C-alpha cells in the first residue's frame, strides 16, 4: 500500500532520478569549476598587467621630468626648483605632469641619499607619500 502512494506522486524535473545531485552532474560541475578558475586566472593576470603598465608609464614621465629638472638646475647655477611645476615651466611643458594614476609628482631637494642633488618620485597607485609602492 505504501509503495503505491509513492508511485502516484508528481515529480518536478529536477527531482526525478536522484534529485538535484544528478542535475548538477559531475561533468557540469567540472566544466563550471574549470571555467571559473580560467576566468579568475585571467582577472589576476589583467590586474597585475594593469599595474605594471602604470609603473612603466610613470617611469617614462619621471625620466622626462628629470631632464627638465636637470635643465632648470643647469640654467640656474645648480639651484633647485621649488616644485615640479617650476622645472616643467622652464622647459615650456604645457602642464605639470602626473603619474599614471593621476597623482602629482614630488620633488625633494636636496636628496635624502648622500650625493644626490634631488629626488623625484611618484607616490604610486595608492597615493600615500610614505607608501611601499612609490616609484623613484
Amino acid at each position: 500500500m505504501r509503495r503505491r502512494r509513492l508511485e502516484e506522486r508528481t515529480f518536478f524535473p529536477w527531482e526525478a532520478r536522484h534529485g538535484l545531485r544528478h542535475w548538477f552532474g559531475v561533468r557540469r560541475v567540472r566544466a563550471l569549476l574549470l571555467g571559473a578558475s580560467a576566468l579568475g586566472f585571467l582577472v589576476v593576470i589583467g590586474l597585475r598587467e594593469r599595474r605594471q603598465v602604470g609603473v612603466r608609464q610613470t617611469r617614462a614621465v619621471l625620466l622626462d621630468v628629470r631632464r627638465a629638472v636637470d635643465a632648470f638646475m643647469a640654467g640656474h647655477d645648480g639651484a633647485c626648483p621649488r616644485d615640479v611645476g617650476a622645472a616643467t615651466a622652464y622647459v615650456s611643458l604645457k602642464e605639470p605632469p602626473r603619474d599614471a594614476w593621476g597623482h602629482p609628482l614630488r620633488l625633494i631637494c636636496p636628496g635624502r641619499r648622500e650625493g644626490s642633488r634631488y629626488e623625484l618620485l611618484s607616490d604610486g597607485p595608492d597615493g600615500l607619500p610614505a607608501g611601499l609602492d612609490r616609484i623613484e
Side-chain angles (χ1 to χ4, degrees):
M1 186 81 158
R2 181 148 168 78
R3 187 171 186 95
R4 189 168 201 186
R5 281 190 168 180
L6 290 177
E7 291 175 9
E8 293 174 1
R9 186 172 165 211
T10 304
F11 289 103
F12 290 105
W14 58 84
E15 291 180 325
R17 295 189 195 153
H18 313 294
L20 286 176
R21 186 179 61 194
H22 178 70
W23 192 76
F24 287 116
V26 175
R27 282 181 258 156
R28 289 185 182 135
V29 171
R30 191 179 308 150
L32 183 67
L33 288 177
L34 182 65
S37 63
L39 182 65
F41 179 73
L42 290 175
V43 166
V44 168
I45 295 296
L47 290 174
R48 183 172 181 255
E49 186 60 27
R50 184 175 181 186
R51 185 187 183 291
Q52 292 300 324
V53 166
V55 169
R56 286 191 296 268
Q57 181 182 4
T58 300
R59 285 190 177 144
V61 169
L62 285 173
L63 186 61
D64 291 341
V65 173
R66 185 169 300 279
R67 289 182 188 134
V69 171
D70 288 340
F72 182 93
M73 292 177 85
H76 291 87
D77 296 325
C80 198
R82 65 182 185 279
D83 60 356
V84 175
T88 56
Y90 182 75
V91 294
S92 69
L93 289 176
K94 294 178 183 175
E95 57 188 48
R98 296 183 170 271
D99 64 7
W101 301 278
H103 303 124
L105 301 177
R106 291 193 311 135
L107 178 69
I108 300 171
C109 205
R112 292 176 282 186
R113 297 183 194 144
E114 189 172 333
S116 67
R117 298 183 301 181
Y118 63 90
E119 286 185 33
L120 184 64
L121 53 102
S122 164
D123 294 330
D126 63 359
L128 297 175
L132 296 176
D133 58 351
R134 67 179 178 263
I135 303 166
E136 298 183 14

